[in-house]
Amino acid sequence: DDIIQLLGASKMTITPTINIQGGFQLLTLRDPTWLDDPRIQQLYPPSVLRTARALVAQPHTPEDLDARARIIAPLEKTAFNVVKAGGRVVAGTDSPINPYGLALLSELEHYVAGGLTPLEAMRTATSVSAEALGVTADLGTIEAGKLADMTMLDGNPLVDIKALRRVKRVMKDGDLFELEALLKGPKRQTLPQP
């Protein structure tokens, strides 16, 4: 508790990276569909999928999952306690140890499991991170004059943080992309034959 209070009073920024401490493996063991999503199949190199699947393929029992959860739960609760004490938690992943993108989403799910609201968890990846980096004039919130690439979701992440997994559209540099077009990849141009 002393450390939590010190982190809060000092406004120190921490990045828990619960994923690399077994959190990503726990979530994918509980729900292997993380890796079955067609977006993951299409957008990740085979080597990344092989590594992630190797984690899930390890034999496990309900007792094993409970033991893993007992290790992860205090880490989740620490993130909650730091925020409630006034400290800053920023979402981080140490990717590529765990797959880019998926690791961030699972990290946010851990924060919610620890007690943060979905909004507080999302702020760890947006406005709080921008503040920690000193770039709030340009990033971190949706405001006129700021840079903003955005995702449109099928669901409300303020109600269910897992809705962040259900991206349907992406706006990048003002261009709107549908999920189906992203999965097809860029159009390849062929060079004329001499």
Side-chain angles (χ1 to χ4, degrees):
D1 189 56
D2 291 347
I3 293 170
I4 298 294
Q5 296 310 312
L6 180 62
L7 289 169
S10 68
K11 305 289 188 222
M12 181 179 277
T13 302
I14 66 162
T15 308
T17 56
I18 295 168
N19 283 308
I20 63 167
Q21 300 175 63
F24 184 76
Q25 186 176 21
L26 177 63
L27 288 182
T28 54
L29 284 170
R30 284 180 174 161
D31 181 4
T33 63
W34 277 84
L35 303 175
D36 294 334
D37 186 302
R39 295 168 299 175
I40 305 311
Q41 303 297 316
Q42 179 68 24
L43 300 174
Y44 285 83
S47 62
V48 171
L49 283 172
R50 276 193 304 275
T51 301
R53 286 194 185 286
L55 294 174
V56 177
Q58 294 177 4
H60 59 280
T61 64
E63 294 78 21
D64 178 47
L65 290 179
D66 289 344
R68 291 170 189 265
R70 283 192 301 276
I71 293 168
I72 298 303
L75 303 172
E76 296 168 337
K77 196 65 173 172
T78 297
F80 170 81
N81 289 335
V82 169
V83 169
K84 293 307 171 188
R88 287 193 303 197
V89 169
V90 296
T93 64
D94 281 350
S95 288
I97 294 170
N98 293 306
Y100 294 105
L102 287 181
L104 179 63
L105 297 178
S106 64
E107 189 78 7
L108 298 181
E109 289 188 22
H110 282 296
Y111 298 166
V112 171
L116 291 179
T117 67
L119 179 60
E120 290 169 327
M122 287 187 294
R123 285 181 176 156
T124 68
T126 56
S127 59
V128 176
S129 291
E131 179 185 309
L133 293 170
V135 294
T136 57
D138 296 317
L139 300 172
T141 57
I142 300 172
E143 297 178 58
K146 287 190 173 185
L147 301 172
D149 294 334
M150 299 188 292
T151 57
M152 282 121 256
L153 309 170
D154 178 17
N156 184 350
L158 298 175
V159 174
D160 178 9
I161 195 70
K162 292 178 183 177
L164 289 175
R165 296 190 214 170
R166 298 190 303 269
V167 173
K168 294 297 179 187
R169 292 178 194 86
V170 174
M171 182 174 286
K172 172 81 174 133
D173 296 328
D175 294 324
L176 188 62
F177 300 92
E178 297 290 331
L179 176 61
E180 293 76 23
L182 292 171
L183 290 176
K184 289 179 184 174
K187 291 181 183 176
R188 299 184 191 274
Q189 296 183 347
T190 56
L191 297 174
Q193 297 297 321

